[in-house]
Amino acid sequence: MRKTAILLFVILLSGLGLRSQSSRPQASVLRTNSPIELDGKLDEMVWQRAIPATDFWQYFPTDSVKAVSQTEISFAFDDDNVYVAVKCYVIGDDYMTTSLRRDYRASENDNITLIFDPFRDQTNAFIFGITPFGVQREALISGGGQRFDDFLGSWDNKWYSGVAIYEGYWIAELAIPFKTLRYREGEDKWFFNSYRFDMQGNERSTWARIPQNQIIMNRAYNGELLWEEKLKKPGANISLIPYISGGITQEQEIAEGDGKAYGNYQIGGDAKIGIGPSLNLDLTFNPDFSNVEADQQVTNLDRFEIFFPERRQFFLENSDLFANLGTQRIRPFFSRRIGIAQDTATGQNQQNPIYYGARLSGKINNNWRMGLLNMQTAPVNEINQPAVNYTVASLQRQLFQRSFLSFFFVNQQDMTDSTGRFAFQADKFNRVLGSDFTLASADNAWNGRYFFHYSLDESQEKQAFTYGTNLSLTKRRFQVEWDQQMVGTGYEAEVGFVPRTGFMRIAPQGRLFFYPNKGPFNIHGPGISTEIIWDETNRKTDHQYGLTYEGQLNNTGRIELSVNQNYTYLFSEFDPSRSGLEPLPAGTDYQYTNVELSYRGDRRKKVYTNYEISVGDYFSGQRYGVTGTLIARVQPYGFLSLRAGYNRITLPATATQPDTTVNLLLIGPRLDVTFTRKLFFTLFTQYNSQFDNLNFNARLQWRYKPVSDLFLVYIDNYQLNDSQWQPYNRALILKLTYWLNL
């Protein structure tokens, strides 16, 4: 496998010479000395002088003709802001929106999205979007925008807008402060692209043309913004974001009956300090994450840990420098490990207070990016959890046009002794260091990654390393991919996400693309996938061979059918239902076949459904599962969704357990109401029979000023005990944040 990895690495390099985008559309950014009122009227003199960027290309339903509903974008700037005027032509006035809530999903709303790449690295970018209803969103793109994971929609920052709707078109005016962006002083050219969703016309379009089999946000395809004057260094860029929170909390052990409620309050905050125009220093003191939206529960039928994404603002900007190393299942750093302590007696996680955090990240110059993070947590004496210091350093060097080489170091260090006193524990640590090479050819046909990571701790086991290679080739008619990894038995990344060690894995796959001229499908085609896993003795422990057929429907829906043949060897005993059945013994193996069907409905409708069905063998028994979501929009004030999952698992009876049928139910209704663009209410309820857990999360948010909020949050959790629901944790929290620019 090492020889194969080296060979593929050579192939990676061979793909770097492919041609780049042959020609880029251009637009000018004009200097203005007059104020611009953000009212959607375009009556300022600078808009009369501007020559707009236009001639958008269709991306959907085809990618070979100009858009039917065209878009015009004009640009201007002064000492403080970039101004953008957008005119979107439409046929009809039946605009679609899910709600008035900020940070909408583009594929579910009429909207326009702007992508700014100030460094022209075709890898990282800033996104700003707006709907005809004036709803804003902002996001960051990393990794070249090759995967949906490269889109970070949780990022939040200050900018301003105004919208007006007219007969046959709508206009948006945006003012984006230079302090919100990162760029080079003295620059007079940026890369830029824009994509638009016209839901009533069932059309998606882009300014710089993008092939339909590439993601619409892909950074390989750009136009150019030509500035009338070279950009100056912005002034002092310091923001303070203090908060104060208080509430009432009740926690109790189920077996001990009612617990006592107690009041508490916290004061803390964040700071963002611009170090030049392209580096940012983020500081946090006594952070409070009570306003962060609850994770969506899942029915876990896997033998390994489930991954949940990071949502906390402090970790987000330039997060790819820290979080996108390795692969999704072999991450040397996973920020959700910070601030979470595990009770080894019960296996339950609980919040671990964070004293402070500091993070310096961004561009050093044209070719180098850096990230440096340090955080200190408090001890949790009741579960014997020491205070821990976390340090992460990352350095990234751009190569060729869109590829880059990364080096990193992760350190977790215990900082309290056995008595709970603060003391540096030299022999209590876990460290990981390594390097990643990420490939993205100029036209994005070739993509790939090669990485090697090594771990260090006080015991220092053998084979404390991991490596992997990924290489894919995407053409208009096909896509092929080779994926392989090896994780040694001694590799330990305690601050990472590595649910499995001691294995070797290969996973080649391929797909064909057909583009019919008529019929219900926009794109469709068959695919084949293979995954084989061996342990450290070269014994096969898993395989999955799959045949798939998937298609994008002309009505924005999607359908996929797959048949999978599976093999699993259990190296430890395992209950396939995770609900208390007698576990299958270690050292046994199973072959089983299942069929899966998934369907995503037409999101333009006010009521639509998504669902997944799985039928077939499951280890030594059978599994019948269906998961679905029903969404109903009450435009523009919000939506009601009902997510439900049902799994029926039947295993052969045993002498000690004749009843081996388990019914697992997961229900998650959600009500999302947006009274205005500043006042939101969410009620989220989840019941999971797999863990006998029921929770409620209600959140009222008032954005009284840009990026300044008042939150009122109610949390209530129950567990089933002796056929009775008993509360074990509830809280009512009030939190006020304020964004202050100095």
Side-chain angles (χ1 to χ4, degrees):
M1 289 188 68
R2 292 183 183 179
K3 292 180 179 178
T4 304
I6 294 171
L7 175 62
L8 290 174
F9 181 69
V10 173
I11 297 174
L12 292 180
L13 295 177
S14 71
L16 294 172
L18 296 178
R19 66 182 183 278
S20 61
Q21 188 178 347
S22 57
S23 62
R24 293 189 174 94
Q26 294 182 333
S28 296
V29 189
L30 304 181
R31 176 80 188 196
T32 179
N33 296 313
S34 302
I36 294 180
E37 185 176 356
L38 305 177
D39 54 8
K41 294 182 179 179
L42 304 189
D43 50 4
E44 287 82 8
M45 182 62 67
V46 69
W47 301 136
Q48 310 306 315
R49 293 194 297 122
I51 300 175
T54 186
D55 290 332
F56 272 54
W57 286 89
Q58 266 192 9
Y59 173 83
F60 176 90
T62 183
D63 60 1
S64 57
V65 298
K66 294 292 180 65
V68 175
S69 297
Q70 275 294 330
T71 306
E72 298 175 356
I73 309 179
S74 301
F75 304 89
F77 74 104
D78 58 19
D79 290 337
D80 301 315
N81 302 297
V82 182
Y83 298 97
V84 186
V86 180
K87 189 174 185 179
C88 299
Y89 292 93
V90 295
I91 301 173
D93 57 2
D94 186 20
Y95 295 105
M96 173 182 163
T97 186
T98 50
S99 72
L100 299 175
R101 179 181 292 276
R102 191 185 186 92
D103 293 333
Y104 58 86
R105 291 189 63 180
S107 60
E108 298 175 357
N109 295 263
D110 278 281
N111 71 95
I112 183 78
T113 296
L114 313 174
I115 308 176
F116 293 94
D117 180 0
F119 291 94
R120 304 201 308 276
D121 60 16
Q122 301 180 87
T123 304
N124 305 281
F126 299 88
I127 270 188
F128 301 90
I130 196 162
T131 77
F133 296 87
V135 184
Q136 297 179 341
R137 73 167 183 161
E138 61 277 291
L140 299 174
I141 292 179
S142 62
Q146 302 168 41
R147 304 165 302 170
F148 291 110
D149 290 345
D150 294 339
F151 182 92
L152 191 61
S154 301
W155 178 66
D156 219 359
N157 221 309
K158 270 190 175 182
W159 58 286
Y160 311 90
S161 63
V163 176
I165 296 177
Y166 303 90
E167 184 176 353
Y169 61 92
W170 58 279
I171 290 177
E173 289 182 285
L174 288 66
I176 304 169
F178 281 115
K179 294 180 180 181
T180 297
L181 301 165
R182 309 283 178 256
Y183 62 93
R184 284 189 296 257
E185 181 184 1
E187 187 61 76
D188 61 2
K189 182 188 295 183
W190 289 5
F191 280 169
F192 173 83
N193 204 3
S194 175
Y195 59 85
R196 179 183 164 198
F197 281 69
D198 175 21
M199 303 305 292
Q200 56 186 319
N202 195 23
E203 183 180 59
R204 301 169 202 171
S205 57
T206 63
W207 183 42
R209 184 178 175 184
I210 298 179
Q212 201 168 13
N213 60 359
Q214 301 281 357
I215 295 179
I216 198 170
M217 63 181 182
N218 193 280
R219 299 305 311 120
Y221 303 90
N222 295 280
E224 292 179 326
L225 296 184
L226 308 178
W227 296 79
E228 195 171 45
E229 297 177 6
K230 291 184 181 295
L231 294 175
K232 299 178 181 178
K233 180 179 179 180
N237 188 0
I238 301 175
S239 299
L240 301 180
I241 315 163
Y243 81 85
I244 181 170
S245 70
I248 299 173
T249 302
Q250 183 182 37
E251 296 181 356
Q252 58 197 16
E253 294 292 336
I254 299 276
E256 296 178 0
D258 293 337
K260 293 183 178 180
Y262 59 91
N264 60 84
Y265 73 92
Q266 290 192 83
I267 297 175
D270 297 344
K272 298 178 77 68
I273 303 171
I275 310 297
S278 54
L279 280 172
N280 196 72
L281 175 64
D282 289 282
L283 303 172
T284 188
F285 163 69
N286 193 29
D288 170 62
F289 304 116
S290 60
N291 60 298
V292 176
E293 190 171 284
D295 289 318
Q296 181 173 284
Q297 291 192 28
V298 297
T299 299
N300 184 10
L301 300 178
D302 194 83
R303 287 173 291 162
F304 306 104
E305 184 182 8
I306 298 295
F307 180 89
F308 290 101
E310 179 62 81
R311 298 172 182 269
R312 298 172 291 182
Q313 276 292 322
F314 174 78
F315 294 99
L316 298 183
E317 186 168 350
N318 291 310
S319 62
D320 64 294
L321 286 166
F322 308 96
N324 288 3
L325 301 162
T327 70
Q328 192 171 30
R329 303 286 288 181
I330 310 175
R331 295 288 191 211
F333 176 71
F334 180 41
S335 58
R336 286 187 64 135
R337 301 289 187 213
I338 301 176
I340 300 292
Q342 187 179 69
D343 187 341
T344 55
T346 65
Q348 297 294 315
N349 290 331
Q350 69 179 67
Q351 187 172 342
N352 184 15
I354 298 173
Y355 286 142
Y356 73 83
R359 200 168 66 101
L360 178 65
S361 63
K363 282 273 192 180
I364 301 174
N365 56 34
N366 291 5
N367 296 315
W368 291 93
R369 295 174 72 212
M370 67 159 291
L372 182 63
L373 177 147
N374 184 264
M375 301 194 79
Q376 178 66 51
T377 63
V380 186
N381 295 324
E382 55 267 28
I383 62 171
N384 247 352
Q385 171 71 27
V388 180
N389 184 268
Y390 301 89
T391 299
V392 186
S394 178
L395 188 64
Q396 186 183 101
R397 174 64 158 87
Q398 181 153 345
L399 299 173
F400 311 103
Q401 289 194 41
R402 303 183 58 241
S403 304
F404 51 89
L405 181 65
S406 300
F407 305 92
F408 73 89
F409 174 74
V410 180
N411 184 62
Q412 174 185 272
Q413 189 80 50
D414 286 9
M415 299 298 289
T416 49
D417 60 22
S418 58
T419 67
R421 294 181 301 178
F422 270 88
F424 181 83
Q425 303 296 297
D427 60 343
K428 299 291 184 182
F429 65 89
N430 177 254
R431 295 166 187 151
V432 183
L433 67 161
S435 178
D436 289 40
F437 171 71
T438 301
L439 165 77
S441 65
D443 62 355
N444 208 56
W446 289 92
N447 285 280
R449 174 167 293 193
Y450 180 86
F451 67 87
F452 182 87
H453 304 164
Y454 191 83
S455 68
L456 300 160
D457 56 35
E458 59 270 23
S459 61
Q460 201 50 47
E461 302 287 339
K462 294 181 179 179
Q463 290 195 330
F465 64 89
T466 177
Y467 66 83
T469 302
N470 175 272
L471 179 65
S472 68
L473 173 63
T474 302
K475 292 294 188 179
R476 183 165 182 81
R477 293 293 182 179
F478 69 90
Q479 180 184 65
V480 291
E481 180 177 1
W482 175 270
D483 194 33
Q484 74 175 61
Q485 296 90 34
M486 184 272 184
V487 181
T489 54
Y491 181 71
E492 187 70 32
E494 294 183 7
V495 199
F497 184 81
V498 188
R500 185 174 185 176
T501 60
F503 72 90
M504 297 175 288
R505 171 184 180 269
I506 62 170
Q509 56 183 309
R511 289 181 58 194
L512 295 176
F513 303 110
F514 301 129
Y515 302 86
N517 294 322
K518 58 182 179 179
F521 287 101
N522 176 260
I523 304 176
H524 64 90
I528 183 171
S529 62
T530 303
E531 181 183 53
I532 307 174
I533 299 176
W534 300 268
D535 66 11
E536 67 276 11
T537 66
N538 292 324
R539 175 182 56 194
K540 185 171 71 171
T541 62
D542 304 81
H543 78 225
Q544 183 180 77
Y545 306 135
L547 294 174
T548 64
Y549 207 99
E550 60 181 298
Q552 169 76 49
L553 298 170
N554 285 320
N555 66 1
T556 76
R558 177 176 288 273
I559 190 168
E560 180 177 354
L561 176 67
S562 64
V563 180
N564 304 293
Q565 200 280 325
N566 308 276
Y567 169 80
T568 302
Y569 174 86
L570 294 180
F571 43 83
S572 60
E573 63 178 25
F574 175 61
D575 170 12
S577 71
R578 284 181 169 261
S579 63
L581 288 182
E582 182 177 328
L584 300 175
T588 55
D589 60 352
Y590 306 87
Q591 294 204 44
Y592 47 102
T593 301
N594 68 308
V595 178
E596 296 180 344
L597 173 68
S598 66
Y599 171 77
R600 187 185 69 196
D602 184 354
R603 287 170 287 183
R604 297 173 302 163
K605 295 183 177 180
K606 292 185 178 179
V607 179
Y608 68 95
T609 59
N610 305 323
Y611 57 81
E612 298 178 3
I613 299 172
S614 179
V615 178
D617 300 330
Y618 185 61
F619 288 87
S620 57
Q622 288 80 41
R623 173 191 169 213
Y624 305 93
V626 58
T627 301
T629 306
L630 173 68
I631 300 101
R633 292 185 289 116
V634 182
Q635 188 168 304
Y637 300 109
F639 64 89
L640 175 66
S641 68
L642 176 62
R643 182 176 60 93
Y646 171 75
N647 282 274
R648 181 180 178 86
I649 296 173
T650 303
L651 299 176
T654 66
T656 59
Q657 196 170 52
D659 184 7
T660 55
T661 297
V662 174
N663 297 294
L664 301 177
L665 183 63
L666 176 66
I667 301 177
R670 177 190 180 103
L671 175 66
D672 196 295
V673 181
T674 54
F675 303 101
T676 69
R677 291 197 298 268
K678 295 183 178 181
L679 186 61
F680 320 124
F681 174 74
T682 303
L683 175 62
F684 191 23
T685 303
Q686 299 184 92
Y687 166 64
N688 190 340
S689 69
Q690 189 176 35
F691 304 107
D692 291 328
N693 180 265
L694 175 66
N695 65 55
F696 300 90
N697 185 287
R699 185 175 71 161
L700 181 68
Q701 178 185 359
W702 175 34
R703 176 148 287 192
Y704 60 92
K705 292 188 69 175
V707 210
S708 301
D709 299 282
L710 177 67
F711 295 96
L712 180 63
V713 181
Y714 176 69
I715 303 168
D716 204 350
N717 292 286
Y718 294 80
Q719 272 194 333
L720 190 64
N721 185 44
D722 295 330
S723 300
Q724 292 184 345
W725 287 104
Q726 295 187 10
Y728 70 89
N729 171 274
R730 58 176 49 148
L732 180 65
I733 303 163
L734 184 68
K735 179 178 179 180
L736 179 69
T737 69
Y738 183 75
W739 186 299
L740 175 65
N741 286 336
L742 299 182

